[in-house]
Amino acid sequence: MSLLNVEELEKKIEELSAKLNDINSELDKAYKELNELKGKLNEKRSQLTSIINQLNSKRSELSELKNRINEIISKRNSLVEYLKKNKAEKDEVSKRITQLRDRVKNLRELLKELEASGGRVQDKDKLRVLIERLEFEHDTSPSDLKREMEFYKTITELGKNLEKAETLDELRNHIANTIKEINELSKRREELVNNLKSTYEGSYKPLKDELMGLRNKVNEVRNSIGELKKRRDELKSERDEIKKQMLSLYARIKELKEVKRQVIDEINKNRLLLVAARKSAATAERRKSEELVKDELRKKAMEALQKLEKGERVSLDELIGLEDTDDQQ
């Protein structure tokens, strides 16, 4: 029975040892997978750090671009106001030139009428119409005070001296002064036109082009930020998935370690039982051998005794065996 127990215990220890090897193999596999996941996690973290740094750099770039755009918009708005002001002055000068040209035209008609009549008015009604036209033109066109006084004086003198020849000189002088004013205004308008053109081409257009380029760059940077955010979120998701797998592995490793501990305890327990079983078997075997020896001695003693009873000769070994039998009895 004890031998059977030894065999069963040896078989069980062998099975438990095989199971322990399987567990160790699973643990090695789990640790290997865990190390691979740690490497992947470090790689994802490194990539994530790189993406975040790129995002911060792009955000900083975007902030700088916006600041530059605001500066350019401020400069552009100032230039727009300047251009509007100059254009308004140019338009006002052009309007004034047109009005003065109409005035010169009317004055020349009046002068022509007076020159044709030798300095005297033949058709006073026609002259009054011309004067009224000049007065209307005077009332509806702005000018500086000095020139308005001169014009008003001319009109007044014409009204008072319809038949005087000196009116011709007064008209000629006023026409000449008006033409001079037209020339001065034309020169000023040309200056304004050139200034508008040079300001637009030299200052406004470069700012406008730079602003367009910056806005395009802003769109590019925003698109880059959008792509980086998308990649950042992907990396975070991948990182979290790796962490989830690692947690699952940690739990599996913990479970395997607990099973391993239990198997080792079971092996140790069975090894102790095996030692005990082997000792028990050895003791039983020894006792069995001793019984066999005793039986053999008894047999020899009986044979020697029978010889003695028959009067036969007994050897020294048979006599010793007989004594040993008596001692054991």
Side-chain angles (χ1 to χ4, degrees):
M1 183 67 181
S2 59
L3 289 175
L4 181 60
N5 288 336
V6 168
E7 291 175 356
E8 288 179 351
L9 287 169
E10 287 176 341
K11 184 179 179 181
K12 188 170 184 180
I13 289 172
E14 185 179 350
E15 291 173 352
L16 288 170
S17 296
K19 184 176 181 180
L20 183 62
N21 289 334
D22 291 341
I23 292 172
N24 285 330
S25 178
E26 286 189 55
L27 276 172
D28 290 340
K29 183 180 178 182
Y31 277 120
K32 182 180 178 181
E33 187 176 350
L34 183 62
N35 288 331
E36 290 176 355
L37 287 174
K38 284 180 179 179
K40 289 181 180 180
L41 181 62
N42 290 333
E43 182 181 355
K44 295 301 177 185
R45 283 172 172 169
S46 177
Q47 292 175 356
L48 189 58
T49 299
S50 176
I51 292 295
I52 290 173
N53 289 338
Q54 291 179 55
L55 264 174
N56 292 335
S57 176
K58 288 295 181 182
R59 284 168 176 156
S60 177
E61 182 181 357
L62 183 61
S63 178
E64 291 176 2
L65 286 171
K66 287 181 177 180
N67 289 336
R68 178 58 182 160
I69 285 174
N70 290 334
E71 290 176 5
I72 291 176
I73 289 175
S74 179
K75 291 180 180 179
R76 184 199 63 180
N77 291 342
S78 297
L79 280 174
V80 167
E81 290 301 317
Y82 177 77
L83 290 170
K84 283 182 179 180
K85 183 178 178 182
N86 277 265
K87 186 177 182 302
E89 184 180 354
K90 178 190 74 75
D91 293 341
E92 188 62 31
V93 168
S94 296
K95 181 179 178 182
R96 179 63 176 160
I97 288 172
T98 300
Q99 292 172 344
L100 290 175
R101 282 175 177 169
D102 290 340
R103 179 185 293 182
V104 168
K105 179 181 178 182
N106 292 329
L107 289 173
R108 280 176 174 168
E109 288 181 9
L110 179 58
L111 180 62
K112 183 178 180 181
E113 178 69 22
L114 292 174
E115 286 177 339
S117 61
R120 293 184 179 276
V121 178
Q122 298 296 324
D123 189 347
K124 293 182 180 180
D125 291 335
K126 185 176 181 180
L127 180 61
R128 285 192 181 93
V129 170
L130 287 173
I131 291 173
E132 287 174 359
R133 189 187 302 168
L134 288 171
E135 287 176 341
F136 175 76
E137 189 269 337
H138 160 70
D139 291 338
T140 58
S141 61
S143 181
D144 60 85
L145 182 60
K146 182 179 177 182
R147 288 175 176 170
E148 288 301 317
M149 290 298 294
E150 291 177 357
F151 180 71
Y152 181 74
K153 181 180 178 182
T154 300
I155 296 297
T156 302
E157 292 299 324
L158 285 172
K160 291 180 179 179
N161 303 298
L162 290 176
E163 297 181 3
K164 292 183 179 180
E166 57 264 26
T167 302
L168 293 173
D169 291 333
E170 294 175 1
L171 277 173
R172 291 189 186 102
N173 288 335
H174 190 72
I175 289 171
N177 290 334
T178 304
I179 290 173
K180 181 180 179 182
E181 183 180 357
I182 289 173
N183 291 335
E184 291 175 353
L185 290 172
S186 296
K187 183 178 179 181
R188 175 60 180 162
R189 181 173 65 180
E190 185 177 357
E191 290 175 356
L192 290 168
V193 169
N194 291 335
N195 186 42
L196 283 168
K197 184 177 180 181
S198 63
T199 301
Y200 180 83
E201 295 293 335
S203 299
Y204 180 81
K205 191 174 184 299
L207 284 178
K208 180 182 177 183
D209 293 341
E210 184 180 357
L211 186 60
M212 182 179 296
L214 287 171
R215 282 174 172 164
N216 290 335
K217 183 64 177 176
V218 164
N219 290 332
E220 291 177 6
V221 172
R222 281 175 173 165
N223 290 335
S224 296
I225 288 175
E227 291 297 322
L228 287 170
K229 283 183 176 179
K230 182 179 177 182
R231 182 55 183 155
R232 178 201 61 188
D233 294 341
E234 289 174 353
L235 286 170
K236 283 184 176 180
S237 178
E238 292 170 5
R239 179 201 62 188
D240 293 342
E241 179 60 29
I242 291 173
K243 285 183 177 181
K244 183 179 178 182
Q245 293 176 16
M246 288 177 68
L247 288 174
S248 177
L249 270 176
Y250 279 125
R252 176 59 178 160
I253 288 171
K254 183 179 180 181
E255 178 185 349
L256 287 171
K257 282 183 175 180
E258 178 60 24
V259 174
K260 179 180 178 179
R261 185 190 64 78
Q262 293 174 1
V263 170
I264 290 174
D265 289 346
E266 189 71 15
I267 288 174
N268 290 334
K269 183 180 75 173
N270 280 276
R271 280 176 177 169
L272 291 174
L273 291 173
L274 179 61
V275 170
R278 282 174 176 171
K279 286 182 178 180
S280 176
T283 300
E285 186 65 25
R286 187 177 67 253
R287 287 177 179 175
K288 182 179 180 182
S289 296
E290 290 174 351
E291 289 296 326
L292 289 174
V293 170
K294 287 179 180 180
D295 290 341
E296 184 64 26
L297 289 173
R298 287 192 194 98
K299 182 178 179 182
K300 287 181 178 182
M302 289 300 297
E303 290 176 353
L305 183 61
Q306 289 175 359
K307 284 182 179 182
L308 287 173
E309 289 177 352
K310 290 178 180 180
E312 294 179 358
R313 189 176 181 176
V314 179
S315 67
L316 180 60
D317 289 338
E318 289 174 334
L319 289 173
I320 293 171
L322 185 60
E323 290 178 357
D324 290 336
T325 304
D326 292 336
D327 290 341
Q328 288 177 4
Q329 290 176 350

